[in-house]
Amino acid sequence: MQPKLFSPLSLASITLPNRIVIPPMCQYAAVEGVAQNWHTVHYGTLAASGAGLLVVEATAVCPEGRISPRCLILQTDEQEAALAKLVQNMQDIAPTVPILQLGHAGRKASCDVPWGTGACLSQEAGGWQTVAPSPEPMNTQDTQPLPLTLEEIDTVKKQFAASALRAKRAGFAGIELHGAHGYLLHQFLSPLSNTRTDQYGGSLENRMRLVLEVFSAMQEAVGKEFILGVRLSASDWVEGGWDVEQTAQLCQRLEALGCAFFDISSGGLSTQQKIPLGAGYQVPFAQRIKQAVSAPVIAVGLITEPTQAEEVMYPRQSRGLEML
Ligand SMILES: Cc1cc2nc3c(=O)[nH]c(=O)nc-3n(C[C@H](O)[C@H](O)[C@H](O)COP(=O)(O)O)c2cc1C
């Protein structure tokens, strides 16, 4: 019998040749937000692997939304043209389907590259003023983010919509909205980072509002047929924080809007959090979300063996869970 891992999968209007997904991985190799030869070689090699779906790294919708000064941006014609060339290169090489992750780093922006200090950069060192739902920094030594005003929140939505349209024009088959890993959208979701008292803070409904509005703004820009998925952290790994049950509710709301897939992560390597790192440690989150939605769900986190991947998609305990 053919392993399920190598069977095709329908994702909205397209068919993936198999269920292997290469997750987004920042390269910190852009210059002024523009993709370089590094990206051409790196993504060409990944596409040649034969994976079904390839998610190109977190790409910021505006300069201040970059994690580091070396991250991709998609806001100008030059940035769009470089990504269009990248897509063409991947398509010339393999049938792997390329999609783009769009995000905004919020209070986790303005950091040095990981092989530098990785720490928050001051404006004198090439960093910039960060923004967030609330004025609390991620780490006490970081510069304080400015809370977004309602007008600025509106601008962020428009920036996501504009970048989504550019991604479609550049030839990507779809977009993954980055709502995970403590970046801006996750900062709005979590009661730990969102202490607002207006319509974007407080209740679950209010904390989910920005993600839902950004999704709708992007959908309006690219049309309902274009593939739009969402990556979410299912847990803050901190008591009283964002958790898998809130994630399940958000996924149901996004699915009702037409979300084509969910990519369920949680991230975090902080020593302050007790994360049970180990083979497949995040898979139970994806399995819980799969019970809540019917769209494909991507699982991540130390899945290193083909047999392990097969088991994730088709667990012996509960036959019938269809996962990417
Ligand atoms: C170098 C590197 C860069 C990453 N960049 C991103 C990113 O751009 N967007 C994102 O959502 N996750 C990013 N991640 C997280 C991965 O997509 C993935 O979820 C994580 O590595 C867990 O899978 P693993 O245990 O198989 O490594 C990155 C991970 C690594 C190692």
Side-chain angles (χ1 to χ4, degrees):
M1 207 175 82
Q2 187 195 39
K4 189 157 182 184
L5 193 57
F6 300 119
S7 63
L9 180 93
S10 295
L11 189 57
S13 54
I14 58 170
T15 303
L16 303 179
N18 59 61
R19 292 158 194 247
I20 300 169
V21 180
I22 300 175
M25 285 176 280
C26 288
Q27 295 302 297
Y28 308 101
V31 177
E32 304 289 331
V34 178
Q36 303 292 307
N37 287 344
W38 172 275
H39 298 91
T40 307
V41 174
H42 173 70
Y43 287 109
T45 310
L46 290 179
S49 72
L53 187 70
L54 191 166
V55 190
V56 169
E57 70 194 76
T59 299
V61 298
C62 58
E64 61 277 17
R66 286 172 298 172
I67 301 166
S68 82
R70 300 296 306 275
C71 290
L72 290 173
I73 312 172
L74 184 46
Q75 201 183 38
T76 67
D77 290 348
E78 187 191 5
Q79 291 155 357
E80 182 183 320
L83 286 177
K85 214 171 115 200
L86 191 74
V87 172
Q88 188 61 58
N89 179 54
M90 286 188 274
Q91 284 171 342
D92 287 348
I93 290 172
T96 300
V97 174
I99 65 171
L100 181 69
Q101 188 183 59
L102 284 178
H104 188 307
R107 69 179 186 175
K108 281 179 75 180
S110 185
C111 289
D112 196 5
V113 292
W115 55 88
T117 63
C120 180
L121 285 172
S122 67
Q123 298 198 33
E124 300 73 53
W128 54 88
Q129 174 63 58
T130 58
V131 294
S134 310
E136 291 83 28
M138 172 85 181
N139 303 296
T140 41
Q141 67 273 23
D142 295 350
T143 45
Q144 201 178 3
L146 287 179
L148 287 167
T149 63
L150 291 180
E151 207 183 345
E152 287 164 342
I153 287 177
D154 210 43
T155 301
V156 167
K157 286 186 255 175
K158 290 186 178 123
Q159 287 168 332
F160 270 100
S163 296
L165 187 57
R166 285 186 181 276
K168 185 180 180 186
R169 270 202 316 245
F172 285 101
I175 293 166
E176 179 179 274
L177 176 61
H178 198 348
H181 302 169
Y183 296 115
L184 186 69
L185 297 182
H186 184 178
Q187 288 158 31
F188 270 84
L189 292 173
S190 172
L192 302 176
S193 46
N194 182 348
T195 55
R196 296 178 77 97
T197 51
D198 62 7
Q199 65 267 43
Y200 289 96
S203 65
L204 174 61
E205 188 65 29
N206 284 357
R207 284 180 282 117
M208 292 192 304
R209 190 179 310 282
L210 183 60
V211 177
L212 294 167
E213 288 181 350
V214 165
F215 185 91
S216 295
M218 288 168 67
Q219 192 181 51
E220 202 173 312
V222 294
K224 285 201 165 160
E225 279 66 52
F226 195 65
I227 293 172
L228 280 186
V230 179
R231 181 169 240 199
L232 294 168
S233 282
S235 175
D236 285 339
W237 297 107
V238 177
E239 193 128 345
W242 180 251
D243 60 26
V244 70
E245 291 311 317
Q246 294 175 78
T247 310
Q249 288 192 51
L250 175 57
C251 290
Q252 285 173 336
R253 295 285 296 276
L254 285 163
E255 184 160 54
L257 294 176
C259 188
F261 69 89
F262 298 94
D263 184 356
I264 301 301
S265 180
S266 70
L269 284 176
S270 165
T271 46
Q272 293 152 8
Q273 296 152 311
K274 292 198 174 48
I275 302 178
L277 285 178
Y281 71 105
Q282 303 187 73
V283 170
F285 291 139
Q287 287 172 328
R288 169 67 189 99
I289 299 308
K290 188 62 210 171
Q291 287 164 351
V293 297
S294 50
V297 176
I298 301 173
V300 294
L302 297 177
I303 302 169
T304 52
E305 302 293 331
T307 47
Q308 189 195 354
E310 194 70 9
E311 175 72 9
V312 168
M313 285 180 294
Y314 205 34
R316 257 172 253 128
Q317 310 298 315
S318 50
R319 299 272 178 199
L321 277 180
E322 292 260 332
M323 313 272 300
L324 260 182

